């Protein structure tokens, strides 16, 4: 092939945007899809990674523990009636979040702010920090 018959390699023959287009991030999914399809399975897998059974997880809208205001939440239960709630004040992973825990079938008495200083919320961050919080309770693995 002669030099003049070779295709252009300077990118002029194709749009630059098509070459650099990135697939949407998981966090770009709608909230009501992100939580049950991505967050909950990733959370269950990470908790099981500590050697325990998979938690029972439910995603619902209802009254926030302790204060009773409406929120979206992931409710989880681990063996020994250990329960936790990850609450979102709005249908967005970037909304204000709180976490509550309760042991032995009791009701939670404290609501803690969760990930308040983070500028960019990601699936990995939500999972790792919630699992870190549960491990801090000594609920995971052979603590």
């Amino acid at each position: 092939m002669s030099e003049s018959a070779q295709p252009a390699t300077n990118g002029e023959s194709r749009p630059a945007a098509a070459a650099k287009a990135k697939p949407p991030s998981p966090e770009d999914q709608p909230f009501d899809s992100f939580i049950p399809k991505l967050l909950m399975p990733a959370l269950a897998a990470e908790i099981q990674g500590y050697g325990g059974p998979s938690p029972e997880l439910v995603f619902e809208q209802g009254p926030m523990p302790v204060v009773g205001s409406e929120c979206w939440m992931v409710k989880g239960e681990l063996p020994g009636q250990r329960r936790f709630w990850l609450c979102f004040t709005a249908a967005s992973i970037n909304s204000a979040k709180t976490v509550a825990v309760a042991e032995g079938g009791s009701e939670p008495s404290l609501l803690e702010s969760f990930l308040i200083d983070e500028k960019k919320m990601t699936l990995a961050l939500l999972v790792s920090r919630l699992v870190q919080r549960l491990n801090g309770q000594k609920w995971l693995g052979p603590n």
Side-chain angles (χ1 to χ4, degrees):
M1 192 183 245
S2 72
E3 209 173 297
S4 62
Q6 291 180 358
T9 57
N10 62 3
E12 292 178 287
S13 63
R14 59 186 163 147
K20 294 182 181 179
K22 292 180 0 182
S25 70
E27 295 78 12
D28 291 336
Q29 284 193 22
F31 180 76
D32 58 350
S33 176
F34 174 85
I35 299 294
K37 292 182 180 175
L38 298 175
L39 178 63
M40 290 170 61
L43 181 59
E46 188 71 16
I47 289 172
Q48 283 182 294
Y50 279 81
S54 181
E56 292 180 32
L57 298 172
V58 176
F59 175 53
E60 65 184 24
Q61 187 174 19
M64 187 181 296
V66 183
V67 296
S69 57
E70 282 295 305
C71 71
W72 287 96
M73 67 186 109
V74 175
K75 293 173 30 176
E77 186 164 347
L78 295 163
Q81 294 185 322
R82 294 172 167 170
R83 298 179 299 153
F84 62 91
W85 295 258
L86 172 58
C87 304
F88 298 83
T89 57
S92 167
I93 64 169
N94 295 308
S95 67
K97 290 167 281 307
T98 58
V99 68
V101 296
E103 201 162 356
S106 66
E107 291 301 313
S109 59
L110 179 65
L111 199 57
E112 305 168 30
S113 294
F114 188 70
L115 295 173
I116 58 173
D117 294 330
E118 305 302 327
K119 295 190 189 304
K120 180 172 166 83
M121 198 55 50
T122 65
L123 174 62
L125 185 61
L126 282 165
V127 170
S128 68
R129 294 292 170 83
L130 183 54
V131 169
Q132 181 180 28
R133 177 65 185 86
L134 297 176
N135 196 40
Q137 286 291 124
K138 302 201 180 297
W139 286 3
L140 306 178
N143 278 316

